[in-house]
Amino acid sequence: MRIICPNCGERDRREFYYVGDAVALERPAEDADLAAWDDYIHNRENPAGVTQDLWYHEMGCSAWLVVKRNTVTHEVLSAELAADVKGAGA
Amino acid sequence: MVDIIAKTPCEGLLPLTIGTTTVTEVPPSMMTSVAPYKGCEKALSTVLKSTHGIAAPAPGRATGKEGARAIWFGQRMILLMGPVPDAALAQHAALTDQSDAWAVVRLDGAGAAEVLARLTPIDLRDGAFKRGHTARTELQHMMASITRLGSNSYQIMVFRSMAETLVHDLKTAMQSVAARNG
């Protein structure tokens, strides 16, 4: 499996560390109800198909990436900087 | 009074020549990580140019030359090697002294790419990794920075604490390349 890092280009999977579902980027508002927080912290989809995860380019540029991939075909569909997705810019 | 003796990271380990390749330690110099503040990339590049005469490198590139080099060092980070950073840089970026933090070596000689290819997963072919290209990648299991300085010449950096492992891994790879070609 290879991931195309927006900074580094195509790199081997061993350079990356998996850090879970990209749902982590969608933090509920502070006053959101318990169900929203329960979903955010505990509940994850387990799709047979396209899924979005966060990956950390640990042995590379140290950027966090949002990677879209297919769990059935193992195809990596896209990778973006989490900073860009989140609009944080840092 | 304790006598403190300054030692370079690879003191007593290098130089090392096996077959056609040689590893030498790069003489220690000032090294500073330069991390631009949000939205300051352009201004930083201008100041880097006016103060040190080096353009800010794009991802995967190194600029400048021996004595004053800027190496792309990861997401939103540049490593300035050689000069003491001009105070004006601090207006646009966080500057952190890294001088004692990294072991810096050079791998030279015919077959240098063959040696590196045994240690790192990146594409080292001439078309993909040219002179002036740099990569943050892994070297065995160490976080490394690899920069191509010439056709048969690479600069390799790992954390200082891993200097001995770096030399050991390079030595093993150099021996196996030499044995193949012998």
Side-chain angles (χ1 to χ4, degrees):
Chain A
M1 182 172 143
R2 283 168 174 268
I3 293 174
I4 300 174
C5 170
N7 285 326
C8 305
E10 192 177 329
R11 291 295 179 90
D12 194 89
R13 181 251 174 274
R14 82 184 89 155
E15 291 191 4
F16 299 88
Y17 187 81
Y18 176 77
V19 272
D21 196 299
V23 76
L25 292 177
E26 290 146 28
R27 189 183 168 88
E30 233 172 275
D31 55 358
D33 59 18
L34 279 178
W37 279 102
D38 184 39
D39 276 349
Y40 175 68
I41 294 169
H42 300 295
N43 298 329
R44 297 291 179 264
E45 298 294 330
N46 184 20
V50 176
T51 186
Q52 264 197 337
D53 323 302
L54 290 171
W55 291 76
Y56 174 50
H57 198 181
E58 185 184 30
M59 288 286 181
C61 64
S62 303
W64 285 62
L65 308 178
V66 178
V67 176
K68 200 180 276 182
R69 66 189 173 92
N70 190 315
T71 57
V72 177
T73 62
H74 301 299
E75 200 178 353
V76 175
L77 301 163
S78 70
E80 294 170 89
L81 293 176
D84 290 347
V85 173
K86 196 70 182 151
Chain B
M1 192 63 189
V2 180
D3 250 348
I4 296 170
I5 306 158
K7 281 175 79 181
T8 62
C10 300
E11 195 153 301
L13 302 170
L14 296 176
L16 183 70
T17 300
I18 298 170
T20 55
T21 53
T22 298
V23 193
T24 47
E25 179 159 36
V26 173
S29 68
M30 188 79 201
M31 290 192 280
T32 312
S33 62
V34 180
Y37 297 128
K38 198 173 170 183
C40 290
E41 294 84 354
K42 274 236 166 73
L44 174 72
S45 187
T46 310
V47 175
L48 202 58
K49 189 94 194 163
S50 64
T51 54
H52 297 292
I54 313 170
R61 297 291 182 273
T63 52
K65 54 182 180 346
E66 187 114 35
R69 211 188 286 282
I71 297 173
W72 177 80
F73 216 53
Q75 165 84 337
R76 298 175 60 79
M77 192 171 286
I78 293 164
L79 187 77
L80 182 63
M81 286 186 86
V84 175
D86 192 282
L89 291 173
Q91 304 267 320
H92 310 288
L95 308 180
T96 311
D97 184 3
Q98 306 282 353
S99 307
D100 294 322
W102 292 81
V104 189
V105 305
R106 260 183 84 134
L107 175 66
D108 292 283
E114 282 174 69
V115 171
L116 266 186
R118 289 173 182 245
L119 303 171
T120 172
I122 58 168
D123 187 351
L124 292 162
R125 288 174 297 178
D126 284 339
F129 198 66
K130 301 173 184 168
R131 186 165 178 261
H133 285 205
T134 190
R136 287 302 306 265
T137 182
E138 71 163 25
L139 192 123
Q140 290 293 55
H141 295 289
M142 297 174 284
M143 291 175 84
S145 159
I146 300 173
T147 306
R148 189 165 190 184
L149 302 175
S151 55
N152 281 318
S153 177
Y154 299 84
Q155 175 179 282
I156 303 162
M157 300 175 65
V158 300
F159 290 137
R160 184 189 179 118
S161 59
M162 300 171 185
E164 211 165 317
T165 309
L166 171 69
V167 172
H168 174 260
D169 289 340
L170 281 169
K171 187 178 175 183
T172 311
M174 287 159 80
Q175 281 168 337
S176 65
V177 168
R180 279 251 159 201
N181 297 343

